[in-house]
RNA sequence: GCGGCGGUGGCGAAAUUGGUAGACGCACUACUUUGAGGUGGUAGCGCCUGAAAAGGUGUGGGAGUUCGAAUCUCCUCUGCCGCACCA
């Protein structure tokens, strides 16, 4: 029998499917393990070798856990709603439902070849009404919740109504601060509409008028994480700020818990740091500055500016105040003399796009209001300016400026010639600000002589004592915009009557997405759904919400649905989610660091608070697979001709660099014949060769069709088989690492599988395996491998595990070991990596040796072998020995030395005995392969 | 600017976390199998000196801790990623 991977892979994939081998049952006496991939967006551009990387990793882990006796949930589905699917549908002129379906089919076909062990019976799609019914239902639960800051959890809105009925919102009952205050009596006088309006301010999913990121080209608003430097993440279109009524998720209520939760979860440092950064927690104080506005007639003092600062210790260094241009007090503080200047500046700020602002960060601009603020500690009056470097959205939209300690404040002071107070002595050079906390304060009255960082708590306490401010924790994170003016998303289960939002009754879910023929935007920034009057207008003058939910709605909870995918009366039964519980390992790219991963963590916390699930963090461990980059090849065409010069000759001419299809290049050598046939324009190409060859240029770039550097997994599978492909992808390097694709090395892995095959069948395809009992040396090889594979697989170090397989197979080849007692356990070890070969060989052997192994139908039902440590002791010529980490000597051993022999020789060695000096030896530790540490 | 992670042969990378650096694979060289190509097999392969034996040197650079450092500490150079007017 020869290693015919094409035949055996097809055969076993077929068989596994027929026997529903990977379908997993809820509940089992076995321990559970939930291994999940981030579900893909069915985008329509075919797969390249980078896509399956994470799926291979998770598949190996899932298969490994099955062999270890776990009941493993390893599902797959599609994130089929969202902007890109709609854009793709627009470009191709087909309905998104159709393109999505097609894309899913081709995606699935490509995946099938690789031999994954997904339980396809649990497949879900976010665009399926049976699925989004529950996305809508969950939205309503969030809509019907508020955040109790005292109990630190979400609660039902009815409970808040009870609180208002009894106490109004003035007493401290945990609800968030509100702009309007009312007593219980006042609350009861409100009519239903007014009460709903008030409640809207407390809901975890709420509609409000706010500044949104509006993308004209996409015709929709975007969430903060979908905007990168003033451009849309998707498509790179300009994004502007715009006031609109939008739905939001009150993720800010969860800021602290999202931060704390990171400590309980196994994510990479980089990932945690990105999330912390996004949440952007800072500790400081809010402080009141009374303002003085001198007009010709009188002096006004009713106003006060509240600023936020993390550096209260610098209070005596405040030389001026700055408000955001949009700040509500600007008008009141502007004196008649300054009015025109302030107006002009505000106009200027309005005229600038977000993009211009970000591009010109360094430029100092601003205007003086004419008013002054009184430093509450020193009584010093400082001028009040407005400037766009102060952001309305962060803190209180106003700052106390300390030019000696903050570079931006310093630049501003310099520009407007404001005198700078030095509060840090020689630490300030007058040339630039020094933001240190380690300086001794000067010019700071009661703080003089105190180290800045020690002064912070002193000032904080004083602020609270004097009643001029409070300690305050601030977050950069904003509430998440939750509505999109697009078609291809979940419709909101919300209807309006006279502008008041009402939830759609549960019996009316799902609110199905109606079919449309055109996707053009509706009136007034509304989405395409607004163009269907028959759908929008309901009986009783109710009107539907025409926005749809964003892409992350469906993906925020999908991991829960896999536990119970066919449930049509619950999003998932509590029993099922309790059983499968947290995702044990979640595999996916880093690109969802601040989007999906934060939203799904938030939804999980809400559901936990509402008692619907029993865990607070969705993902116990996160593995971020690296990107596989493409290795592009280039040819150099002499400008204006059809002549191509080889790489090292190109500098002699003026050339254009052109991408060339990487599959036509062997190493760096171009197949000129194939090149001529590639495109009609190259049919007449001439070549300037070096040593008879055309040498290409090379660069590492993102893998993409347009760069002609994509490698299709199917081509490799056709040539080498799925097992080789799987192992090679893992052998390239650590899963987490990004690396350029290089097809060259795949031969080595393929060779390994052929060697493995030859342990069972010789060149004449005769079975050579025997049921002879193995000797100690052979057992040692096996047990060493078992130990290594178990350790490496458990910690996702698949590249080193594969190296260990190679060593093992080489060693067994060297000692001509063909014994089933060694080979069958080895096959089980390999099964997660190369399931098809392992199954084929295992079945062939067990079929022939009936009595012993027939109990298992498939290699998947077998047990991961256990190792015995007595076989792991290394044989060596010489053992270096160190005593108590102090000195080192070398003891010669013969090759057949056992553990006992080694111990005996160590203890009896003269030099060692001299060092131990009669003290008893506590233990002998074997470090590295051939070294011993003796502890006394 | 701030933050995170790295830097080891010609290349991808190992090093059981302080214990013989470079496992394993690719590429390369020689021999061998074969009519030839491919395949398979054997051996060599960090760098320098040397015919060899052997010796010296070696984990971006510099210092330090240690019997012992790729691994720990400090300084420095450099690459990648993330954030960025956040008070």
């Amino acid at each position: 029998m020869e290693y015919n991977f094409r035949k055996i892979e097809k055969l076993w994939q077929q068989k596994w499917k027929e026997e529903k081998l990977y379908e997993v049952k809820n509940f089992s006496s076995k321990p559970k393990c939930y291994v999940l991939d981030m579900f893909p967006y069915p985008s329509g551009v075919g797969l390249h070798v980078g896509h399956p990387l994470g799926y291979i990793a998770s598949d190996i882990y899932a298969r490994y856990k099955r062999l270890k006796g776990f009941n493993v949930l390893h599902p797959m589905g599609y994130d089929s709603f969202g902007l890109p699917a709609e854009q793709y549908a627009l470009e191709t002129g087909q309905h998104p439902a159709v393109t999505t379906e097609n894309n899913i089919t081709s995606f699935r076909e490509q995946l099938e070849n690789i031999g994954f062990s997904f339980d396809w019976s649990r497949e879900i799609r976010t665009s399926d009404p049976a699925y989004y019914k529950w996305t809508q239902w969950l939205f309503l639960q969030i809509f019907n919740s508020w955040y109790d800051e005292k109990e630190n959890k979400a609660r039902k809105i009815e409970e808040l109504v009870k609180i208002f009925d009894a106490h109004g919102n003035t007493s401290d009952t945990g609800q968030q601060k509100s702009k309007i205050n009312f007593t219980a009596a006042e609350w009861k006088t409100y009519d239903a509409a007014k009460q709903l309006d008030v409640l809207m301010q407390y809901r975890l999913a709420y509609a409000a008028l706010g500044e949104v990121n509006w993308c004209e080209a996409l015709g929709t608003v975007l969430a903060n994480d979908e905007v990168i430097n003033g451009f849309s993440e998707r498509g790179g279109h300009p994004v502007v700020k715009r006031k609109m009524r939008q739905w939001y998720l009150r993720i800010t209520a969860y800021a602290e818990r999202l931060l704390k939760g990171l400590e309980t979860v196994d994510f990479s440092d980089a990932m945690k740091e990105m999330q912390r950064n996004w949440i952007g927690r800072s500790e400081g104080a809010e402080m009141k500055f009374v303002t003085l506005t001198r007009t010709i007639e009188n002096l006004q003092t009713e106003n006060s500016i509240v600023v936020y600062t993390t550096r209260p210790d610098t209070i005596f260094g405040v030389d001026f105040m700055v408000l955001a241009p949009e700040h509500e007090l600007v008008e009141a503080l502007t004196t008649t003399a300054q009015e025109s200047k302030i107006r002009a500046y505000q106009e200027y700020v309005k005229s600038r796009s977000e993009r211009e602002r970000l591009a010109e960060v360094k430029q100092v601009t601003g205007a003086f209001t004419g008013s002054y603020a009184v430093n509450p500690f020193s009584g010093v009056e400082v001028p009040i300016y407005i400037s766009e470097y102060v952001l309305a959205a962060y803190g209180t939209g106003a700052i106390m400026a300390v030019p000696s300690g903050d570079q931006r404040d310093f630049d501003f002071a310099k520009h407007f010639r404001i005198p700078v107070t030095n509060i840090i002595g020689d630490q300030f050079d007058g040339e630039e600000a020094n933001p240190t906390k380690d300086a001794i304060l000067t010019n700071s009255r009661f703080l003089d002589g105190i180290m800045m960082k020690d002064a912070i708590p002193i000032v904080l306490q004083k602020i609270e004592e004097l009643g001029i401010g409070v300690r305050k924790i601030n977050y950069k994170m904003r509430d998440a915009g939750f509505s999109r003016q697009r078609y291809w998303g979940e419709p909101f289960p919300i209807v309006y009557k006279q502008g008041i939002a009402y939830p759609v009754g549960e019996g009316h879910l799902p609110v199905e997405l109606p079919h449309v023929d055109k996707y053009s935007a509706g009136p007034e920034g509304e989405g395409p759904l607004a163009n269907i009057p028959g759908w929008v207008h309901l009986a009783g003058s109710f009107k539907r919400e025409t926005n749809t939910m964003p892409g992350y709605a469906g993906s925020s909870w999908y991991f829960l649905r896999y536990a119970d995918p066919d449930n049509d009366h619950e999003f998932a039964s509590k029993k099922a989610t309790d059983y499968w519980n947290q995702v044990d390992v979640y595999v996916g790219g880093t690109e969802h660091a601040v989007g999906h991963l934060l939203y799904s963590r938030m939804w999980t916390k809400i559901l936990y608070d509402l008692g619907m699930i029993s865990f607070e963090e969705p993902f116990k461990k996160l593995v971020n697979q690296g990107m596989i980059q493409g290795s592009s090849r280039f040819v150099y065409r002499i400008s204006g001709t059809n002549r191509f010069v080889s790489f090292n000759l190109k500098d002699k001419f003026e050339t254009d660099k052109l991408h060339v299809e990487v599959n036509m290049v062997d190493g760096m050598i171009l197949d000129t014949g194939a090149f001529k046939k590639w495109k009609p324009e190259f049919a007449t190409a001439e070549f300037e060769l070096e040593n008879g060859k055309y040498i290409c240029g090379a660069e590492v770039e993102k893998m993409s069709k347009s760069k002609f550097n994509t490698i299709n997994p199917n081509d490799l599978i056709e040539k080498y088989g799925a097992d080789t492909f799987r192992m090679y992808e893992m052998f390239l390097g650590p899963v987490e690492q990004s690396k350029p694709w290089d097809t060259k090395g795949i031969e080595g892995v393929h060779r390994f599988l052929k060697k493995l095959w030859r342990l069972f069948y010789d060149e004449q395809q005769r079975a050579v395996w025997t049921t002879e009992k193995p000797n100690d040396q052979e057992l040692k090889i096996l047990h060493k491998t078992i130990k290594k594979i178990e350790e490496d697989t458990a910690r996702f170090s698949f590249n080193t595990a594969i190296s260990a397989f190679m060593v093992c197979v080489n060693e067994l080849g060297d000692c001509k070991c063909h014994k089933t007692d060694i080979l069958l356990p080895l096959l089980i070890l390999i099964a997660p990596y190369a399931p098809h070969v392992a199954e084929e060989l295992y079945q062939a052997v067990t079929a022939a040796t009936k009595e012993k192994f027939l109990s298992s139908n498939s290699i998947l039902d077998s047990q991961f072998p256990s190792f015995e440590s007595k076989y792991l002791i290394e044989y060596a010529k010489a053992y270096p020995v160190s005593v108590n980490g102090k000195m080192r000597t070398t003891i010669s051993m013969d090759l057949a030395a056992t553990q006992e022999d080694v111990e005996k020789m160590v203890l009896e060695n003269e030099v060692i005995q001299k060092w131990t000096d009669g003290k008893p030896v506590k233990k002998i530790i074997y470090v590295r392969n051939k070294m011993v540490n003796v502890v006394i």
Side-chain angles (χ1 to χ4, degrees), chain A residues 376-397:
Chain A
F377 280 86
S378 64
V380 172
E381 295 176 19
V382 295
I384 303 169
Y385 285 78
I386 63 170
S387 173
E388 63 178 345
Y389 88 86
V390 174
L391 306 173
Y394 185 76
T396 59

mmCIF file of all heavy atoms in Angstrom, chain A residues 376-397:
data_model
loop_
_atom_site.group_PDB
_atom_site.id
_atom_site.type_symbol
_atom_site.label_atom_id
_atom_site.label_comp_id
_atom_site.label_asym_id
_atom_site.label_seq_id
_atom_site.Cartn_x
_atom_site.Cartn_y
_atom_site.Cartn_z
ATOM 1 N N PRO A 376 -9.422 78.373 43.323
ATOM 2 C CA PRO A 376 -10.053 78.217 44.632
ATOM 3 C C PRO A 376 -9.047 78.098 45.765
ATOM 4 O O PRO A 376 -9.398 78.314 46.924
ATOM 5 C CB PRO A 376 -10.866 76.935 44.486
ATOM 6 C CG PRO A 376 -10.246 76.200 43.355
ATOM 7 C CD PRO A 376 -9.681 77.234 42.444
ATOM 8 N N PHE A 377 -7.802 77.796 45.454
ATOM 9 C CA PHE A 377 -6.796 77.675 46.510
ATOM 10 C C PHE A 377 -6.035 78.973 46.738
ATOM 11 O O PHE A 377 -5.805 79.369 47.863
ATOM 12 C CB PHE A 377 -5.824 76.538 46.185
ATOM 13 C CG PHE A 377 -6.368 75.195 46.527
ATOM 14 C CD1 PHE A 377 -7.156 74.506 45.625
ATOM 15 C CD2 PHE A 377 -6.129 74.625 47.771
ATOM 16 C CE1 PHE A 377 -7.686 73.268 45.942
ATOM 17 C CE2 PHE A 377 -6.659 73.389 48.103
ATOM 18 C CZ PHE A 377 -7.442 72.700 47.180
ATOM 19 N N SER A 378 -5.659 79.618 45.651
ATOM 20 C CA SER A 378 -4.805 80.796 45.794
ATOM 21 C C SER A 378 -5.567 82.107 45.645
ATOM 22 O O SER A 378 -5.069 83.160 46.012
ATOM 23 C CB SER A 378 -3.695 80.754 44.735
ATOM 24 O OG SER A 378 -4.270 80.843 43.447
ATOM 25 N N GLY A 379 -6.762 82.041 45.092
ATOM 26 C CA GLY A 379 -7.521 83.259 44.839
ATOM 27 C C GLY A 379 -7.025 84.026 43.629
ATOM 28 O O GLY A 379 -7.578 85.063 43.275
ATOM 29 N N VAL A 380 -6.030 83.495 42.950
ATOM 30 C CA VAL A 380 -5.484 84.169 41.773
ATOM 31 C C VAL A 380 -6.488 84.102 40.615
ATOM 32 O O VAL A 380 -7.154 83.091 40.429
ATOM 33 C CB VAL A 380 -4.154 83.488 41.345
ATOM 34 C CG1 VAL A 380 -3.657 84.042 40.020
ATOM 35 C CG2 VAL A 380 -3.104 83.664 42.427
ATOM 36 N N GLU A 381 -6.600 85.222 39.883
ATOM 37 C CA GLU A 381 -7.504 85.245 38.741
ATOM 38 C C GLU A 381 -6.727 84.886 37.475
ATOM 39 O O GLU A 381 -5.692 85.474 37.202
ATOM 40 C CB GLU A 381 -8.133 86.627 38.571
ATOM 41 C CG GLU A 381 -9.032 87.000 39.728
ATOM 42 C CD GLU A 381 -9.576 88.418 39.596
ATOM 43 O OE1 GLU A 381 -9.557 88.957 38.474
ATOM 44 O OE2 GLU A 381 -9.988 88.975 40.636
ATOM 45 N N VAL A 382 -7.251 83.923 36.715
ATOM 46 C CA VAL A 382 -6.578 83.542 35.472
ATOM 47 C C VAL A 382 -7.546 83.662 34.302
ATOM 48 O O VAL A 382 -8.748 83.461 34.464
ATOM 49 C CB VAL A 382 -6.018 82.100 35.549
ATOM 50 C CG1 VAL A 382 -4.915 82.000 36.586
ATOM 51 C CG2 VAL A 382 -7.123 81.098 35.840
ATOM 52 N N PRO A 383 -7.032 84.002 33.118
ATOM 53 C CA PRO A 383 -7.906 84.194 31.958
ATOM 54 C C PRO A 383 -8.518 82.890 31.462
ATOM 55 O O PRO A 383 -7.932 81.831 31.602
ATOM 56 C CB PRO A 383 -6.953 84.777 30.907
ATOM 57 C CG PRO A 383 -5.600 84.321 31.316
ATOM 58 C CD PRO A 383 -5.613 84.252 32.809
ATOM 59 N N ILE A 384 -9.688 83.001 30.869
ATOM 60 C CA ILE A 384 -10.377 81.827 30.319
ATOM 61 C C ILE A 384 -10.369 81.902 28.797
ATOM 62 O O ILE A 384 -10.826 82.893 28.217
ATOM 63 C CB ILE A 384 -11.835 81.748 30.810
ATOM 64 C CG1 ILE A 384 -11.880 81.736 32.343
ATOM 65 C CG2 ILE A 384 -12.523 80.510 30.244
ATOM 66 C CD1 ILE A 384 -13.275 81.926 32.912
ATOM 67 N N TYR A 385 -9.842 80.858 28.164
ATOM 68 C CA TYR A 385 -9.772 80.767 26.708
ATOM 69 C C TYR A 385 -10.688 79.658 26.207
ATOM 70 O O TYR A 385 -11.120 78.804 26.994
ATOM 71 C CB TYR A 385 -8.336 80.444 26.261
ATOM 72 C CG TYR A 385 -7.388 81.609 26.365
ATOM 73 C CD1 TYR A 385 -6.854 81.973 27.592
ATOM 74 C CD2 TYR A 385 -7.021 82.335 25.232
ATOM 75 C CE1 TYR A 385 -5.972 83.053 27.690
ATOM 76 C CE2 TYR A 385 -6.142 83.402 25.318
ATOM 77 C CZ TYR A 385 -5.623 83.759 26.554
ATOM 78 O OH TYR A 385 -4.759 84.815 26.640
ATOM 79 N N ILE A 386 -10.940 79.670 24.913
ATOM 80 C CA ILE A 386 -11.487 78.471 24.292
ATOM 81 C C ILE A 386 -10.474 77.994 23.252
ATOM 82 O O ILE A 386 -9.748 78.802 22.665
ATOM 83 C CB ILE A 386 -12.873 78.688 23.621
ATOM 84 C CG1 ILE A 386 -12.779 79.695 22.467
ATOM 85 C CG2 ILE A 386 -13.907 79.133 24.642
ATOM 86 C CD1 ILE A 386 -14.046 79.770 21.630
ATOM 87 N N SER A 387 -10.407 76.677 23.084
ATOM 88 C CA SER A 387 -9.497 76.127 22.079
ATOM 89 C C SER A 387 -9.928 74.718 21.727
ATOM 90 O O SER A 387 -10.458 73.998 22.566
ATOM 91 C CB SER A 387 -8.067 76.105 22.615
ATOM 92 O OG SER A 387 -7.231 75.434 21.696
ATOM 93 N N GLU A 388 -9.683 74.361 20.465
ATOM 94 C CA GLU A 388 -10.110 73.023 20.042
ATOM 95 C C GLU A 388 -9.228 71.918 20.584
ATOM 96 O O GLU A 388 -9.542 70.749 20.417
ATOM 97 C CB GLU A 388 -10.205 72.945 18.513
ATOM 98 C CG GLU A 388 -8.890 73.167 17.817
ATOM 99 C CD GLU A 388 -9.034 73.020 16.295
ATOM 100 O OE1 GLU A 388 -10.058 72.481 15.860
ATOM 101 O OE2 GLU A 388 -8.133 73.463 15.589
ATOM 102 N N TYR A 389 -8.120 72.264 21.232
ATOM 103 C CA TYR A 389 -7.335 71.166 21.802
ATOM 104 C C TYR A 389 -7.990 70.591 23.050
ATOM 105 O O TYR A 389 -7.614 69.526 23.522
ATOM 106 C CB TYR A 389 -5.863 71.562 22.003
ATOM 107 C CG TYR A 389 -5.453 72.227 23.302
ATOM 108 C CD1 TYR A 389 -5.108 71.460 24.419
ATOM 109 C CD2 TYR A 389 -5.363 73.599 23.395
ATOM 110 C CE1 TYR A 389 -4.685 72.062 25.598
ATOM 111 C CE2 TYR A 389 -4.943 74.216 24.571
ATOM 112 C CZ TYR A 389 -4.612 73.448 25.674
ATOM 113 O OH TYR A 389 -4.194 74.043 26.827
ATOM 114 N N VAL A 390 -8.985 71.293 23.544
ATOM 115 C CA VAL A 390 -9.784 70.722 24.628
ATOM 116 C C VAL A 390 -11.031 70.094 24.012
ATOM 117 O O VAL A 390 -11.764 70.742 23.271
ATOM 118 C CB VAL A 390 -10.158 71.787 25.671
ATOM 119 C CG1 VAL A 390 -11.111 71.216 26.706
ATOM 120 C CG2 VAL A 390 -8.891 72.290 26.339
ATOM 121 N N LEU A 391 -11.225 68.809 24.316
ATOM 122 C CA LEU A 391 -12.303 68.058 23.679
ATOM 123 C C LEU A 391 -13.568 68.122 24.517
ATOM 124 O O LEU A 391 -13.537 67.864 25.720
ATOM 125 C CB LEU A 391 -11.893 66.595 23.517
ATOM 126 C CG LEU A 391 -10.577 66.360 22.794
ATOM 127 C CD1 LEU A 391 -10.197 64.900 22.858
ATOM 128 C CD2 LEU A 391 -10.675 66.839 21.357
ATOM 129 N N ALA A 392 -14.681 68.447 23.877
ATOM 130 C CA ALA A 392 -15.950 68.556 24.593
ATOM 131 C C ALA A 392 -16.348 67.206 25.182
ATOM 132 O O ALA A 392 -16.978 67.127 26.222
ATOM 133 C CB ALA A 392 -17.025 69.057 23.642
ATOM 134 N N ALA A 393 -15.927 66.131 24.512
ATOM 135 C CA ALA A 393 -16.426 64.811 24.887
ATOM 136 C C ALA A 393 -15.673 64.178 26.057
ATOM 137 O O ALA A 393 -16.131 63.213 26.642
ATOM 138 C CB ALA A 393 -16.358 63.878 23.684
ATOM 139 N N TYR A 394 -14.517 64.702 26.400
ATOM 140 C CA TYR A 394 -13.764 64.066 27.472
ATOM 141 C C TYR A 394 -13.807 64.885 28.747
ATOM 142 O O TYR A 394 -13.734 66.115 28.703
ATOM 143 C CB TYR A 394 -12.313 63.837 27.048
ATOM 144 C CG TYR A 394 -11.543 63.077 28.097
ATOM 145 C CD1 TYR A 394 -11.732 61.710 28.255
ATOM 146 C CD2 TYR A 394 -10.681 63.732 28.965
ATOM 147 C CE1 TYR A 394 -11.074 61.010 29.240
ATOM 148 C CE2 TYR A 394 -10.010 63.035 29.951
ATOM 149 C CZ TYR A 394 -10.214 61.673 30.086
ATOM 150 O OH TYR A 394 -9.562 60.985 31.076
ATOM 151 N N GLY A 395 -13.889 64.226 29.883
ATOM 152 C CA GLY A 395 -13.920 64.921 31.164
ATOM 153 C C GLY A 395 -15.113 65.852 31.218
ATOM 154 O O GLY A 395 -16.239 65.454 30.937
ATOM 155 N N THR A 396 -14.855 67.102 31.546
ATOM 156 C CA THR A 396 -15.951 68.063 31.634
ATOM 157 C C THR A 396 -15.922 69.041 30.466
ATOM 158 O O THR A 396 -16.696 69.996 30.422
ATOM 159 C CB THR A 396 -15.840 68.884 32.940
ATOM 160 O OG1 THR A 396 -14.571 69.564 32.929
ATOM 161 C CG2 THR A 396 -15.918 67.986 34.155
ATOM 162 N N GLY A 397 -15.002 68.820 29.540
ATOM 163 C CA GLY A 397 -14.876 69.733 28.406
ATOM 164 C C GLY A 397 -14.176 71.024 28.785
ATOM 165 O O GLY A 397 -14.233 72.014 28.055
#
